[in-house]
Amino acid sequence: MRINKLFSNYGICSRTDVNRLVEENRIMVNGKQCIPGQWVEIEDNILLDNKNIIANDKIYIALNKPVGITCTAEKSVKSNIIDFMDYPGYIFPVGRLDKNSKGLILMTNDGELANNILESKNEHEKEYIVTVNKPFNDSFIKVMSKGVEICGVVTRPCKVIRVSDDTFIIILTQGLNKQIRRMSKALGYTVTSLERTRIINIKLSEIDVGTWRYLTDMEIKQLKNS
């Protein structure tokens, strides 16, 4: 695998940060200076600042993201999720939840698990509760469920359950950019509130807005087996 992926899988730093370390000549592979994007094997002798690299303990966190926080590890972005959490160690968000939405986001340093969760073909469920700007009829639910054309593609069939005249629960197995907002807009509605309440087996319940908790051993096991 590339050196960037190895460092991410080991929970050392992001793939982007590896490029900076390489440029600063801080990584050695088998006694030679590492080059950008170098392919490595687990058995290779890899040094960071003249010390052997080791896999960090894995971190798994469920955060209830408030509105106004951007799900990016890019520190130059105002109100980014890393600065918001101020966690004393390397973690990153698994996927995104747009700035104007709130709810569940997973944070980890486990690149391998993150890739598995985000892989579209795995069809992992993500559940949301959504309020729109006006009442909708049963046809709206039917069309949303079957798939809506957005950005030149038809969304994957999903589950939509009415909660009230203007609120519904939607369970997706894909994660297109601002998918629910764009699906709703395509049918003539504007989302006024969007909250993610579940990712696979992890639920938002009992996590106050702006706070987080570590996942339990059982939750982690179920995630890895999903």
Side-chain angles (χ1 to χ4, degrees), residues 60 214-223:
Y60 306 97
Y214 289 109
L215 300 190
T216 66
D217 290 342
M218 180 58 71
E219 286 174 328
I220 296 169
K221 181 178 180 180
Q222 291 173 340
L223 264 184

Coordinates of all heavy atoms in Angstrom, one line a residue, residues 60 214-223:
Y60 N -12.8 5.5 18.6 CA -14.1 5.4 18.0 C -15.1 6.3 18.8 O -15.4 6.0 19.9 CB -14.7 4.0 17.9 CG -13.7 3.1 17.2 CD1 -12.9 2.2 17.9 CD2 -13.6 3.0 15.8 CE1 -12.0 1.4 17.3 CE2 -12.8 2.1 15.2 CZ -11.9 1.3 15.9 OH -11.1 0.4 15.3
Y214 N -17.5 7.7 23.6 CA -16.8 6.7 22.9 C -17.8 5.5 22.6 O -18.8 5.3 23.4 CB -15.7 6.1 23.9 CG -14.6 7.0 24.0 CD1 -14.3 7.7 25.2 CD2 -13.6 7.3 23.0 CE1 -13.2 8.5 25.4 CE2 -12.6 8.1 23.2 CZ -12.4 8.7 24.4 OH -11.3 9.6 24.5
L215 N -17.6 4.9 21.5 CA -18.4 3.7 21.2 C -18.1 2.5 22.2 O -16.9 2.4 22.6 CB -18.2 3.2 19.8 CG -18.5 4.2 18.7 CD1 -18.4 3.5 17.3 CD2 -19.8 4.9 18.8
T216 N -19.0 1.7 22.4 CA -18.8 0.5 23.3 C -18.1 -0.6 22.4 O -18.1 -0.5 21.2 CB -20.1 0.0 23.8 OG1 -20.9 -0.5 22.7 CG2 -20.9 1.0 24.5
D217 N -17.5 -1.5 23.1 CA -16.9 -2.6 22.5 C -17.8 -3.4 21.5 O -17.5 -3.8 20.4 CB -16.2 -3.6 23.5 CG -15.1 -3.0 24.2 OD1 -14.5 -2.0 23.7 OD2 -14.7 -3.5 25.3
M218 N -19.1 -3.5 22.0 CA -20.1 -4.2 21.2 C -20.4 -3.4 20.0 O -20.5 -4.0 18.9 CB -21.3 -4.5 22.0 CG -22.4 -5.2 21.3 SD -21.9 -6.8 20.6 CE -21.8 -7.8 22.2
E219 N -20.6 -2.1 20.1 CA -20.9 -1.3 18.9 C -19.7 -1.4 17.9 O -20.0 -1.5 16.7 CB -21.1 0.2 19.4 CG -22.4 0.4 20.1 CD -22.5 1.8 20.6 OE1 -21.5 2.4 21.0 OE2 -23.6 2.3 20.7
I220 N -18.5 -1.3 18.4 CA -17.3 -1.4 17.5 C -17.3 -2.7 16.8 O -17.1 -2.8 15.5 CB -16.0 -1.2 18.3 CG1 -16.0 0.2 18.9 CG2 -14.8 -1.4 17.4 CD1 -14.9 0.5 19.9
K221 N -17.6 -3.8 17.5 CA -17.6 -5.1 16.9 C -18.6 -5.2 15.8 O -18.4 -5.8 14.7 CB -17.8 -6.2 18.0 CG -17.8 -7.6 17.4 CD -18.0 -8.6 18.6 CE -18.0 -10.1 18.0 NZ -18.2 -11.0 19.1
Q222 N -19.8 -4.7 16.1 CA -20.9 -4.8 15.1 C -20.6 -3.9 13.9 O -20.9 -4.3 12.7 CB -22.2 -4.3 15.7 CG -22.8 -5.2 16.8 CD -24.0 -4.7 17.5 OE1 -24.2 -3.5 17.5 NE2 -24.7 -5.6 18.1
L223 N -20.0 -2.8 14.1 CA -19.5 -1.9 13.0 C -18.6 -2.6 12.1 O -18.7 -2.6 10.8 CB -18.9 -0.6 13.5 CG -19.7 0.6 13.6 CD1 -18.8 1.8 14.1 CD2 -20.5 1.0 12.4

